[in-house]
Amino acid sequence: ESFPCFCLKPPPPPPPPPPVPPYVVIKMGNCAKYGFEDIVDEPTCRAVMNNGYYNTRDQNSNGKIDSTEMYPNPVIDSTGTPPGCWPVDPIVQELDPNFVVPDFGFPFACVNTNLHSPAYCSESFPCFCLKPPPPPPPPPPVPPYVVIKMGNCAKYGFEDIVDEPTCRAVMNNGYYNTRD
């Protein structure tokens, strides 16, 4: 006699981590002072931390590189710490004897959403900042052109404009720039 078996399928794989955006690390001032953006969301903070800080450290001495662990990354609203994303390094205990290590211990990072915090980035609070996006490319140059009011371009020995960027450049240069 045969009985059907009902089996569970394996769970789907976890989603891939978000791509690591271009970032810089500063140790003086704040991100805004240098024209960078604060990182104020946990997934982006974790991505840059794992890429550029926790990828070589084992702060809890458990034999695992910190970037492979799901370390705490609390989101806070504080005026006593720099705005944005920064790791908390055990060195802070040496620099500030009053620093209280949370129950979860090291490693951990923080995301301070208070963009008006007066605290600055430092050796003990290095800030990870997003680089601004590159500027848009300049508009294409406007080629020499003429306006024909009767007939067509070929009749006068000229070529038709058949691509959108050139058409847009010519129209913005000589037609739309004189109209409301």
Side-chain angles (χ1 to χ4, degrees):
E1 207 171 294
S2 175
F3 294 98
C5 292
F6 292 86
C7 305
L8 293 176
K9 291 182 179 180
V20 178
Y23 67 92
V24 295
V25 180
I26 61 169
K27 296 180 180 179
M28 292 176 53
N30 58 33
C31 295
K33 176 181 178 181
Y34 298 102
F36 302 124
E37 295 178 36
D38 291 296
I39 298 171
V40 292
D41 66 282
E42 194 277 337
T44 304
C45 182
R46 184 173 298 279
V48 299
M49 286 290 141
N50 286 345
N51 181 263
Y53 192 79
Y54 289 132
N55 62 343
T56 60
R57 299 168 191 254
D58 179 14
Q59 293 182 345
N60 57 5
S61 302
N62 66 355
K64 296 179 184 176
I65 295 297
D66 294 338
S67 63
T68 65
E69 300 185 69
M70 274 307 287
Y71 54 84
N73 204 1
V75 176
I76 61 173
D77 182 346
S78 167
T79 58
T81 58
C85 172
W86 37 268
V88 181
D89 194 291
I91 195 171
V92 75
Q93 294 173 290
E94 298 169 24
L95 299 172
D96 181 359
N98 297 321
F99 181 81
V100 178
V101 178
D103 292 339
F104 49 75
F106 292 103
F108 72 99
C110 283
V111 178
N112 184 2
T113 59
N114 184 343
L115 299 180
H116 302 289
S117 171
Y120 287 117
C121 307
S122 64
E123 287 291 328
S124 56
F125 288 111
C127 298
F128 283 63
C129 313
L130 292 177
K131 291 181 177 179
V142 179
Y145 67 93
V146 295
V147 177
I148 303 294
K149 295 189 179 190
M150 294 184 66
N152 60 37
C153 293
K155 178 179 177 182
Y156 296 99
F158 300 114
E159 295 178 22
D160 290 315
I161 297 172
V162 295
D163 66 284
E164 190 271 337
T166 305
C167 181
R168 182 176 300 280
V170 168
M171 295 300 285
N172 287 339
N173 181 61
Y175 186 75
Y176 291 126
N177 69 352
T178 61
R179 307 216 183 294
D180 279 335

